[in-house]
Amino acid sequence: MKNKEIKILLAAPRGFCAGVDRAIEIVKKSIEKYGAPVYVRHEIVHNKHVVESLKKIGAVFVEELNEIKDKTRPVIFSAHGVPKVVPAEAKELKMDYIDATCPLVSKVHREAENLNKSGFHVLLIGHKNHPEVIGTMGQIPNGSIDLIENIEDVNKFEIKRNGKLAYVTQTTLSVDDTKDIINALKEKFSNIKEPKKEDICYATTNRQAAVKKIAKLCDMFFVIGSRNSSNSLRLVEVANNSGCSEAVLIHSESSIPLEKITKCKTIGISSGASAPEILVENFIKKLKEQFSVNIEEVEIIKEDITFKIPGRLN
């Protein structure tokens, strides 16, 4: 098998985005400043490798604040954002909290709040039970926001209240799927207010565009990421929809389908916004043990965006 030659098209940009970088940095700096343990509500980002490496240096992950025994320790809110009741609960418990919500998610939160204050009923395009969706819906009162997951939901939705309607979107959706839902909304509700600037984040858009560019040239496409990572799952869908007959998510428990790869001439690789580059390197290393590999990186855009961490941690 070693002599079998395989071409790898490596999508760029891939992997960590600025929001993920910032969230991980916030956990590390908090441990440096306050010592261990530092608590983190929910996985800081959706990646097992990242979570395990932060546990090793003193991060303790919980789902809810009431699981924290020592309320004198700081707690960090994950990059996905939290409903308003969470910081309110932390204040009530007199807990010191640090918010690692991605600034692009915070932008959607503020948008939903401002729309609500201006008397709009808000529709959130997103996936049910995703932490980002729970966080955004929790910014404004119950009954003033509805979730739209697909075109069927658009067809079923009827305007309540005063007829003023607006939409926002989860930041990690498929650009193409969202476009179809937005078109359906505009067709049904011609006066619907749209965001000034698209909510889907730059990193999601760039990673999907890079996959789209190379997927049709590949016999198989591999996305390195976690099963609960929305943006990783969307990359698999994008590869499938862009002309690659088989796209596969490689997560922490995956075994590499070497038999199938043997039948390929060209494979594509990308990684979700919460997957560290070491996982891509390890994947390629395993392929090199079996095949003669020729790698070509296909970069569609250079990313140089960074987000500041809270001043108190500097």
Side-chain angles (χ1 to χ4, degrees), residues 125 151 174-182 234 237 241:
I125 302 169
I151 289 175
S174 153
V175 178
D176 294 333
D177 289 353
T178 314
K179 195 169 66 200
D180 294 342
I181 294 170
I182 290 168
R234 300 296 79 76
E237 286 172 9
N241 295 339

Side-chain angles (χ1 to χ4, degrees), residues 189-240:
F189 307 107
S190 55
N191 291 335
I192 192 164
K193 186 176 168 62
E194 58 186 336
K196 287 191 188 73
K197 190 173 173 294
E198 196 184 46
D199 293 331
I200 291 180
C201 92
Y202 77 93
T204 300
T205 305
N206 291 347
R207 277 150 192 69
Q208 289 180 16
V211 168
K212 213 180 257 189
K213 181 166 183 177
I214 59 179
K216 56 184 171 290
L217 310 170
C218 302
D219 304 307
M220 276 187 93
F221 202 100
F222 296 94
V223 175
I224 318 291
S226 294
R227 282 173 288 191
N228 58 345
S229 159
S230 171
N231 70 79
S232 301
L233 296 173
R234 300 296 79 76
L235 290 177
V236 175
E237 286 172 9
V238 168
N240 267 326

Side-chain angles (χ1 to χ4, degrees), residues 6-283:
I6 286 205
K7 181 166 192 171
I8 294 176
L9 295 178
L10 197 51
R14 63 181 175 278
F16 280 0
C17 59
V20 165
D21 265 333
R22 174 179 179 269
I24 294 168
E25 201 51 30
I26 285 174
V27 178
K28 288 178 176 170
K29 292 260 198 231
S30 299
I31 293 167
E32 268 173 40
K33 182 167 180 173
Y34 302 106
V38 161
Y39 289 91
V40 184
R41 184 189 176 277
H42 190 69
E43 290 184 345
I44 186 72
V45 297
H46 281 156
N47 187 274
K48 197 175 174 183
H49 180 92
V50 172
V51 168
E52 291 306 320
S53 64
L54 292 173
K55 277 182 185 172
K56 284 188 184 119
I57 60 168
V60 177
F61 291 85
V62 296
E63 281 306 307
E64 296 299 342
L65 301 185
N66 60 16
E67 294 167 46
I68 300 170
K69 299 276 182 283
D70 184 356
K71 303 284 196 281
T72 64
R73 302 303 301 160
V75 60
I76 298 166
F77 301 151
S78 84
H80 310 102
V82 293
K84 278 196 164 163
V85 292
V86 176
E89 187 191 349
K91 278 180 187 152
E92 210 168 286
L93 295 166
K94 298 191 168 45
M95 289 189 76
D96 184 18
Y97 67 85
I98 300 144
D99 191 354
T101 302
C102 169
L104 298 176
V105 174
S106 298
K107 169 186 147 312
V108 178
H109 287 185
R110 297 295 73 78
E111 231 173 318
E113 266 195 306
N114 292 335
L115 288 165
N116 177 249
K117 280 178 189 152
S118 306
F120 285 88
H121 185 86
V122 181
L123 297 180
L124 168 61
I125 302 169
H127 293 291
K128 194 180 181 177
N129 295 332
H130 188 278
E132 186 190 321
V133 164
I134 293 166
T136 301
M137 292 186 83
Q139 298 305 307
I140 58 180
N142 263 347
S144 51
I145 184 164
D146 277 284
L147 181 64
I148 300 287
E149 290 195 87
N150 47 43
I151 289 175
E152 205 181 309
D153 288 347
V154 176
N155 297 337
K156 284 190 304 206
F157 181 78
E158 292 305 327
I159 297 186
K160 307 169 175 93
R161 296 209 300 175
N162 56 13
K164 281 171 79 176
L165 198 60
Y167 74 84
V168 295
T169 72
Q170 185 182 332
T171 62
T172 53
L173 296 177
S174 153
V175 178
D176 294 333
D177 289 353
T178 314
K179 195 169 66 200
D180 294 342
I181 294 170
I182 290 168
N183 288 341
L185 278 172
K186 286 178 174 174
E187 213 167 288
K188 185 169 178 182
F189 307 107
S190 55
N191 291 335
I192 192 164
K193 186 176 168 62
E194 58 186 336
K196 287 191 188 73
K197 190 173 173 294
E198 196 184 46
D199 293 331
I200 291 180
C201 92
Y202 77 93
T204 300
T205 305
N206 291 347
R207 277 150 192 69
Q208 289 180 16
V211 168
K212 213 180 257 189
K213 181 166 183 177
I214 59 179
K216 56 184 171 290
L217 310 170
C218 302
D219 304 307
M220 276 187 93
F221 202 100
F222 296 94
V223 175
I224 318 291
S226 294
R227 282 173 288 191
N228 58 345
S229 159
S230 171
N231 70 79
S232 301
L233 296 173
R234 300 296 79 76
L235 290 177
V236 175
E237 286 172 9
V238 168
N240 267 326
N241 295 339
S242 304
C244 181
S245 57
E246 189 164 11
V248 179
L249 182 74
I250 297 288
H251 52 81
S252 55
E253 281 100 54
S254 295
S255 53
I256 299 173
L258 296 170
E259 284 305 309
K260 285 184 173 179
I261 296 173
T262 308
K263 300 185 179 90
C264 299
K265 281 188 180 143
T266 305
I267 65 169
I269 300 175
S270 185
S271 54
S274 45
E277 185 62 12
I278 183 86
L279 299 181
V280 176
E281 288 165 12
N282 289 347
F283 182 68

